[in-house]
Amino acid sequence: MSSHELNDLAASIRLVVTGWSPGHGSYYVHIYEEGDAWPCPSIELGDDTTPITEPEWVIAILDGYATAPDGFVETLRADAEKEGVCDMQAIFDVAQPASAAYQLSDTDVPF
């Protein structure tokens, strides 16, 4: 997962983090306003319910919150190409199931 903190922020913005999330197959934007209950962002876009599929959309979302550096669209596109997409369902399909809950009724308790 790539992560870029932007430095050229609007007056009421504390932090802006953006990048590529392979798990969601989406770019993401997290905007933290002054007074937020850290570490929860005020605006969180780019997950499975709000995918951002084009790096140009990130620039549009940032308008009024932060200014992206020159060439940032290419940086985000390179992040996505490098990291690819992680198929979450495939991970769940091959993951080992959690062990069964420990049952005290099946155990000799020594007291």
Side-chain angles (χ1 to χ4, degrees):
M1 180 171 187
S2 70
S3 179
H4 303 279
E5 289 186 18
L6 302 182
N7 298 315
D8 188 8
L9 305 174
S12 64
I13 304 303
R14 179 178 181 183
L15 175 66
V16 173
V17 181
T18 184
W20 174 254
S21 173
H24 292 115
S26 174
Y27 298 98
Y28 68 92
V29 177
H30 295 176
I31 299 170
Y32 300 83
E33 296 177 337
E34 291 292 342
D36 277 350
W38 185 261
C40 300
S42 300
I43 300 171
E44 189 171 12
L45 301 171
D47 56 19
D48 55 346
T49 60
T50 59
I52 303 170
T53 59
E54 300 296 329
E56 292 83 4
W57 298 358
V58 171
I59 304 304
I61 292 167
L62 293 175
D63 187 36
Y65 300 105
T67 302
D70 291 338
F72 197 56
V73 167
E74 291 79 17
T75 299
L76 291 173
R77 189 171 283 123
D79 289 348
E81 288 176 16
K82 176 183 174 189
E83 297 185 24
V85 176
C86 177
D87 184 354
M88 295 302 279
Q89 186 58 48
I91 290 173
F92 293 138
D93 289 345
V94 298
Q96 296 294 321
S99 62
Y102 186 72
Q103 297 295 324
L104 288 176
S105 60
D106 297 337
T107 305
D108 291 329
V109 180
F111 52 88

